[in-house]
């Protein structure tokens, strides 16, 4: 595909081959930094990471709040590397390295090499990717799938323009889209943007037959997950509806969401995207990239008007946005260097912070990394206290405690069960592993937050624990032995 000369930079000292070599070397160096410090990481798994690991211990075609790919990935990590914090997280920087290389290749086909280099390095050093490389999240495989899909869509458009068959590319395109949906349903935002890009830009417009082939393959790939959702009454969709319910329309939420994108992609790159879309000639490339960038932002912006959102829900805009921003930044070398250096500072500092998490200053009386500290202490106490109480089954309230106990108690013979829900299950183990006094072995113990009334009157306290600073922030918990476990029999919904 011919590169657009209008986005060529001014005179540069290095030629395309040298820039390519330097870009690949920088991507590898950043990845090695992340991998090396991941091995020295002294933080604990977040609740989400422990949940994803636990999902992977029971392979399925779906899970309560997410599609199954993240669980499958972490099961693979466990099989190869064992069970450790590093094993859970090491795949993340490798995924983002692959995404940056794919993005570089994609941009290099359409634009001069310096623009492609700025796009790839900008992506790899955005705050969102810095965080995503330090943790294991569903956004990580999602972004790789979307990057590959973006490149394949332009290759299919090229085949259409040259009037040549591209069945193999169409099959691969459908496979990648299906895998992306198994990573996170937010790929639907990408599909909407891709459809708009194909409509307005010939550079993103595949042949109709290729689009149909890709759609068919995508549906085949996600069919097992759709079957799982059907078997569980589409619990994931109910969960999404619950977390996005609002209490009225708001203009503040969408404005805050827009402001938060400066923390997702970086302020300079965000401004560069705006200027690239607003000031650049409306050529086919800019139009297609703008559609892919703005569609997820617009969808989440609309949701913010009526209900809560998180800053990363539109994270897919990073990929086309990095290319758009690079198209503007390439003509402004000082801003380019400033943007990359700021991103690099975050990229270098975050893994270091995880090596020395307790040395960081406190925020609001809590450790700065409280979310990643304090899980082990309460889990070890609960497992020990349940054993001392002679329990064979430990009933656990809430997702947070459950996943901590599953992670730290992975070698324990204790049977872990969730408190049966009164209505719709609130997390995966209320759905799949709720306590049943008729089948679960006794004696039975229950861990319970002291600030809440015990659900059972026939309970004998056997221990009390005050959580250290960290995820549970000084809360008190009781361990009780249930003399009549029937009090936790599954209850009927009250609505």
């Amino acid at each position: 595909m011919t590169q657009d000369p209008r986005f060529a930079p001014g005179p540069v000292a290095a030629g395309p081959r040298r820039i390519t070599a330097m870009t690949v070397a920088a991507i590898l160096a950043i990845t090695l930094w992340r991998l090396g410090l991941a091995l020295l990481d002294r933080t604990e798994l977040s609740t989400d990471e422990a949940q994803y690991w636990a999902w992977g211990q029971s392979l399925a075609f779906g899970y309560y709040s997410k599609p199954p790919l993240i669980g499958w990935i972490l099961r693979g990590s466990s099989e190869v590397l064992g069970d450790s914090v590093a094993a859970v997280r090491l795949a993340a920087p490798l995924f983002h390295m692959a995404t940056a290389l794919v993005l570089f290749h994609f941009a290099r086909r359409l634009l001069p090499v310096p623009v492609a280099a700025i796009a790839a390095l900008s992506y790899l050093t955005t705050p969102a990717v810095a965080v995503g490389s330090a943790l294991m999240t569903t956004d990580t495989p999602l972004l790789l799938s979307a990057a590959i899909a973006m490149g394949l869509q332009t290759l299919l458009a090229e085949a259409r323009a040259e009037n040549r068959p591209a069945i193999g590319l169409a099959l691969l395109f459908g496979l990648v889209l299906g895998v992306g949906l198994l990573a996170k349903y937010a790929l639907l935002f990408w599909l909407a943007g891709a459809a708009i890009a194909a409509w307005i830009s010939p550079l993103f417009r595949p042949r109709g037959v290729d689009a149909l082939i890709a759609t068919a393959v995508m549906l085949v790939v996600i069919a097992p997950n759709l079957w799982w959702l059907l078997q569980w009454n589409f619990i994931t969709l109910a969960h999404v509806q619950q977390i996005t319910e609002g209490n009225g329309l708001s203009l503040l939420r969408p404005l805050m969401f827009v402001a938060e994108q400066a923390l997702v992609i970086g302020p300079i790159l965000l401004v560069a995207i705006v200027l690239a879309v607003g000031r650049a000639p409306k050529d086919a490339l800019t139009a297609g990239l703008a559609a892919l960038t703005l569609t997820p932002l617009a969808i989440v912006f609309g949701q913010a008007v009526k209900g809560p959102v998180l800053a990363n829900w539109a994270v897919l805009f990073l990929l086309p946005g990095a290319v758009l921003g690079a198209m503007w930044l390439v003509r402004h070398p000082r801003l380019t260097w400033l943007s990359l250096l700021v991103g690099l500072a975050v990229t270098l500092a975050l893994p270091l912070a995880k090596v020395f998490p307790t040395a960081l200053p406190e925020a609001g009386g809590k450790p700065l990394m409280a979310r990643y500290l304090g899980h082990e202490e309460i889990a070890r106490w609960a497992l020990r206290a349940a054993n001392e109480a002679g329990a064979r089954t430990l009933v656990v309230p809430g997702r947070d405690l459950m996943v901590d106990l599953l992670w730290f108690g992975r070698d324990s013979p204790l049977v872990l069960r969730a408190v049966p829900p009164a209505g719709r299950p609130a997390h995966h183990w209320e759905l799949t592993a709720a306590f049943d006094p008729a089948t679960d072995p006794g004696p039975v113990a229950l861990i319970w937050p002291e600030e809440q009334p015990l659900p059972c009157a026939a309970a004998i306290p056997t221990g009390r624990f005050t959580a250290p600073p960290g995820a549970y922030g000084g809360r008190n918990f009781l361990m009780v032995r249930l003399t009549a476990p029937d009090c936790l029999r599954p209850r009927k919904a009250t609505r």
Side-chain angles (χ1 to χ4, degrees):
M1 184 172 289
T2 303
Q3 295 176 344
D4 193 330
R6 290 180 296 106
F7 300 106
V12 293
R17 289 186 178 179
R18 186 178 178 189
I19 293 174
T20 296
M22 292 169 63
T23 301
V24 172
I27 291 172
L28 292 176
I30 290 171
T31 302
L32 287 174
W33 173 263
R34 289 168 169 167
L35 290 171
L37 289 185
L39 297 174
L40 303 175
D41 192 341
R42 294 176 59 193
T43 61
E44 300 169 16
L45 294 182
S46 69
T47 297
D48 285 344
E49 290 175 297
Q51 171 182 255
Y52 302 150
W53 171 87
W55 285 350
Q57 305 314 297
S58 301
L59 293 176
F61 286 118
Y63 300 104
Y64 175 83
S65 59
K66 297 286 192 301
L69 185 61
I70 188 72
W72 299 351
I73 291 171
L74 293 187
R75 176 60 177 271
S77 295
S78 291
E79 295 294 332
V80 174
L81 302 173
D83 294 319
S84 67
V85 172
V88 169
R89 292 175 174 167
L90 279 176
L94 296 175
F95 269 97
H96 285 296
M97 177 189 71
T99 304
L101 292 171
V102 169
L103 187 64
F104 178 64
H105 178 72
F106 160 78
R108 191 175 56 174
R109 290 181 57 253
L110 303 173
L111 293 157
V113 172
V115 182
I118 294 170
L121 294 176
S122 293
Y123 165 82
L124 195 62
T125 57
T126 58
V129 172
V131 173
S133 297
L135 310 170
M136 193 63 197
T137 74
T138 53
D139 288 338
T140 298
L142 170 72
L143 285 163
L144 178 57
S145 298
I148 298 172
M150 184 165 63
L152 289 172
Q153 185 170 349
T154 59
L155 288 173
L156 286 168
E158 187 177 291
R160 178 195 58 79
E162 296 174 358
N163 196 29
R164 55 182 170 82
I167 295 177
L169 284 174
L171 292 170
L172 183 58
F173 188 41
L175 175 63
V176 169
L177 293 176
V179 171
L181 283 170
L182 293 179
K184 195 172 184 179
Y185 298 128
L187 192 82
L188 292 170
F189 303 166
W190 180 268
L191 290 176
I196 296 172
W199 176 43
I200 65 177
S201 172
L203 291 180
F204 292 85
R205 189 179 303 145
R207 294 186 306 167
V209 63
D210 290 334
L212 289 175
I213 291 172
T215 301
V217 173
M218 178 186 72
L219 291 174
V220 169
V221 172
I222 65 171
N225 179 242
L226 294 176
W227 176 251
W228 185 92
L229 289 171
L230 180 63
Q231 295 295 103
W232 292 98
N233 297 318
F234 293 94
I235 187 68
T236 308
L237 300 184
H239 167 73
V240 171
Q241 181 181 12
Q242 181 182 19
I243 65 174
T244 56
E245 286 179 354
N247 55 0
L249 301 181
S250 170
L251 293 178
L252 180 60
R253 280 194 305 262
L255 293 177
M256 289 180 62
F257 166 73
V258 171
E260 287 168 345
Q261 299 316 297
L263 299 177
V264 171
I265 199 169
I268 297 174
L269 190 56
L270 182 62
V271 172
I273 293 170
V274 173
L275 293 175
V277 173
R279 294 186 179 183
K282 297 303 182 284
D283 59 280
L285 178 57
T286 302
L289 290 172
L292 289 169
T293 301
L294 297 177
T295 300
L297 290 169
I299 292 172
V300 181
F301 184 92
Q303 163 59 31
V305 173
K306 70 182 189 68
V309 298
L310 295 178
N312 71 312
W313 285 3
V315 72
L316 286 169
F317 93 100
L318 287 182
L319 297 164
V323 180
L324 277 175
M327 289 162 61
W328 186 87
L329 283 171
V330 74
R331 287 291 188 177
H332 303 82
R334 291 183 180 178
L335 283 176
T336 299
W337 280 110
L338 180 60
S339 178
L340 290 175
L341 288 173
V342 170
L344 184 62
V346 176
T347 293
L348 297 178
L350 185 58
L352 271 177
K354 292 167 69 238
V355 176
F356 305 101
T358 57
L360 299 175
E362 294 189 351
K366 296 181 179 180
L368 197 60
M369 289 200 169
R371 185 181 180 189
Y372 310 102
L373 299 170
H375 299 268
E376 182 173 7
E377 288 90 338
I378 188 170
R380 298 291 187 200
W381 169 80
L383 293 167
R384 184 174 62 254
N387 285 325
E388 290 172 353
R392 295 176 61 197
T393 296
L394 177 59
V395 183
V396 185
R399 179 189 70 135
D400 295 15
L401 279 172
M402 174 61 82
V403 298
D404 283 343
L405 286 164
L406 287 168
W407 170 250
F408 290 105
R410 52 189 178 271
D411 297 322
S412 170
L414 269 174
V415 176
L416 298 176
R417 291 290 183 260
V419 174
R424 186 172 62 200
H427 59 79
H428 184 75
W429 290 272
E430 285 189 0
L431 180 72
T432 62
F435 174 68
D436 186 345
T439 58
D440 290 322
V444 178
L446 169 72
I447 180 174
W448 197 256
E450 191 177 46
E451 71 268 17
Q452 298 179 18
L454 285 168
C456 298
I460 301 173
T462 62
R464 182 177 182 272
F465 180 77
T466 300
Y472 295 94
R475 294 173 62 194
N476 295 319
F477 292 87
L478 300 174
M479 182 64 66
V480 299
R481 187 170 67 248
L482 300 180
T483 57
D486 279 6
C487 66
L488 290 178
R489 187 175 297 279
R491 295 161 285 171
K492 294 182 179 180
T494 57
R495 57 173 183 169

